[in-house]
Amino acid sequence: MLVGVSGGIAAYKACELVRRLRQRGAHVVVVMTPAATEFVTPLTFQTLSGNPVVTSLWGDQAPRFELPDRVRARMGGKVGHVDLAEAVDALVIAPATANLIARLVHGEAPDALTAIALACRVPLIVCPAMDVEMWRHPATVENLAVLRRRGVILVGPADGPLASGLVGPGRLAEIDVIADAVERSLAYRGSMTGVRVLVGAGRTEEPIDPVRVLTNRSSGRMGMALAEAARDRGAEVTLVTGPTDVGPPGGVRVIAVRTAIEMAAAMAAEARGADAVVMAAAVADYRAAKPAREKLKRADATRTLELEPNPDILAAIGAARRPGQVLVGFALETSDGVRRARTKLRAKGVDVIVLNDPADALGGDTNKVTLVEARSAKRLPEMSKREVADLVFARILELRSLKPGTRTARGGAGRTRAAKGQRT
């Protein structure tokens, strides 16, 4: 396990993170930027981690690391930062300053930490900490969006008093929150390797004329979080998506559609080879029966629009499902939600319905859902859409283990925690 420390006032909190990770059984190596050494001495981190601290690209410190044999075997004796990047299971950067985040986005590598981050092909957990106005600056907002699309796990920041005396977002997340995120990333990694996942996301747009469409307010964030979560577990992900307010994550196969008819065709074709299908797209129930070829002009008289039903995509997939296939649908209800969700579950032939409320689900980064199954309904507290996605796939793995004839994920789908002393 690599802990990266950049030059912010919250660098002192990384001392406790190192201690906490070691308590959980991790072998820790600390990498510091030159600015970070102005806040905490390398000797402090060396004492806490039990390993030399990497502060420079020059020289090879790897032979002096106290690491398990299985980890040392992955180190080819090339140069220090390359060896470390190839050997570790995860890299967590706490704190990550606005400057460090910008360097990660642009691929700059002037120091050991950014060079290792470029070379790593393991989960990268970035924990921002900065002043509130730096956090809100458009450059930082855009940089964080880029990191999310690349699959970086972002933890925090928290709200509260800052070193400047201001109060607001920018505090380093609580240490246990960071440690939990690190442990989850290690547990999830590889749990769905070789499993083929199909995710339906976004909204559909049904043309009324060449300018106007029938659509809804779905942002697509939930579907993107699902695709991202499956990818981070090692699954082979295909994302069929209509229009969204956010871009798709990297590392997934994307099929862009616009109308319900287009989405139905793409989902049906891809579902044949999928081990799990998660349909989070907000599909229009109706389309214009006869879309106008030219823009409709305003008239004083009342205009009537004739509609016809769109295909039920999830029901069609449920009717054609293969043995061992897990199907998950989403439902948004304004009243009597659990009963209606369970009716949909039976009608569509799926395993789980994720029940949303429009007040919680539309547009934001958080959600409050109920996982509805034939004999249970588990209501979850409000959490980020990524956390909801992780819990959905945790349940999919459980259901796959109960189905006969299911292909087992390479790497062991049953792993849920990092073994003591086995992570670096």
Side-chain angles (χ1 to χ4, degrees):
M1 168 81 61
L2 282 178
V3 174
V5 184
S6 65
I9 187 63
Y12 77 93
K13 296 183 180 180
C15 298
E16 180 61 18
L17 176 61
V18 171
R19 191 180 73 85
R20 203 70 57 88
L21 290 172
R22 291 198 72 191
Q23 286 178 342
R24 297 190 183 202
H27 295 274
V28 177
V29 174
V30 177
V31 186
M32 303 178 71
T33 65
T37 64
E38 299 292 328
F39 291 91
V40 182
T41 66
L43 180 59
T44 300
F45 283 113
Q46 180 174 320
T47 303
L48 291 170
S49 69
N51 275 307
V53 175
V54 180
T55 59
S56 171
L57 284 169
W58 312 111
D60 185 1
Q61 299 167 301
R64 294 185 285 134
F65 292 136
E66 294 295 328
L67 301 173
D69 290 341
R70 67 170 187 86
V71 174
R72 192 171 292 281
R74 299 204 296 257
M75 303 175 76
K78 309 174 188 68
V79 290
H81 70 278
V82 175
D83 273 345
L84 282 172
E86 292 181 352
V88 298
D89 294 306
L91 167 59
V92 55
I93 302 177
T97 62
N99 177 54
L100 190 281
I101 288 169
R103 290 184 184 277
L104 292 176
V105 167
H106 293 288
E108 297 182 12
D111 52 52
L113 177 54
T114 49
I116 289 172
L118 272 181
C120 274
R121 294 296 178 267
V122 296
L124 173 58
I125 302 101
V126 171
C127 309
M130 63 196 73
D131 198 62
V132 59
E133 296 305 328
M134 298 176 75
W135 171 253
R136 291 171 174 164
H137 194 281
T140 303
V141 172
E142 291 176 11
N143 286 338
L144 291 165
V146 171
L147 293 183
R148 287 191 189 94
R149 288 198 298 271
R150 293 178 185 172
V152 173
I153 300 167
L154 298 175
V155 181
D159 280 88
L162 304 172
S164 64
L166 298 175
V167 177
R171 287 173 60 88
L172 185 70
E174 294 299 321
I175 297 304
D176 277 333
V177 173
I178 297 172
D180 287 346
V182 172
E183 196 164 7
R184 281 197 304 272
S185 74
L186 294 172
Y188 293 163
R189 186 184 177 204
S191 64
M192 296 185 75
T193 300
V195 178
R196 296 164 298 190
V197 173
L198 173 61
V199 176
R203 57 186 177 268
T204 59
E205 293 181 350
E206 308 298 334
I208 297 172
D209 62 21
V211 177
R212 303 174 180 89
V213 295
L214 292 173
T215 189
N216 57 68
R217 292 189 296 219
S218 173
S219 67
R221 286 184 172 85
M222 189 68 245
M224 299 308 165
L226 288 160
E228 182 182 88
R231 177 206 62 193
D232 289 350
R233 288 176 176 265
E236 301 169 16
V237 183
T238 297
L239 174 67
V240 176
T241 178
T244 63
D245 296 350
V246 293
V252 306
R253 177 170 165 251
V254 179
I255 300 174
V257 298
R258 188 161 295 275
T259 68
I261 295 293
E262 292 172 353
M263 181 169 283
M267 290 291 292
E270 297 298 326
R272 298 188 189 105
D275 300 306
V277 179
V278 186
M279 184 57 175
V283 181
D285 292 323
Y286 294 92
R287 64 181 183 272
K290 295 179 180 179
R293 294 185 178 182
E294 296 184 359
K295 180 183 175 183
L296 296 172
K297 301 299 182 181
R298 176 170 178 164
D300 293 334
T302 301
R303 186 182 294 276
T304 300
L305 180 64
E306 183 180 353
L307 303 177
E308 60 185 17
N310 273 320
D312 189 326
I313 298 173
L314 190 57
I317 293 173
R321 70 185 300 172
R322 297 181 292 99
Q325 197 174 46
V326 178
L327 304 183
V328 177
F330 276 65
L332 191 148
E333 300 290 348
T334 55
S335 64
D336 203 8
V338 172
R339 183 186 65 81
R340 292 182 175 182
R342 194 162 280 141
T343 299
K344 288 184 177 181
L345 182 137
R346 290 192 296 266
K348 298 176 189 292
V350 302
D351 299 286
V352 183
I353 290 288
V354 182
L355 174 63
N356 297 273
D357 184 281
D360 302 313
L362 292 176
D365 292 318
T366 62
N367 206 350
K368 188 158 56 176
V369 306
T370 303
L371 303 183
V372 180
E373 300 184 35
R375 295 181 179 84
S376 66
K378 182 179 181 181
R379 182 163 179 78
L380 303 179
E382 183 175 351
M383 58 183 66
S384 72
K385 289 182 176 177
R386 174 55 195 261
E387 289 175 308
V388 172
D390 285 328
L391 291 175
V392 168
F393 281 107
R395 184 55 182 152
I396 286 174
L397 284 172
E398 292 172 349
L399 291 171
R400 278 177 53 77
S401 70
L402 299 175
K403 289 180 179 289
T406 298
R407 294 190 310 121
T408 302
R410 296 191 300 274
R415 291 184 309 196
T416 56
R417 283 184 68 87
K420 287 284 186 182
Q422 295 299 304
R423 295 292 183 184
T424 302

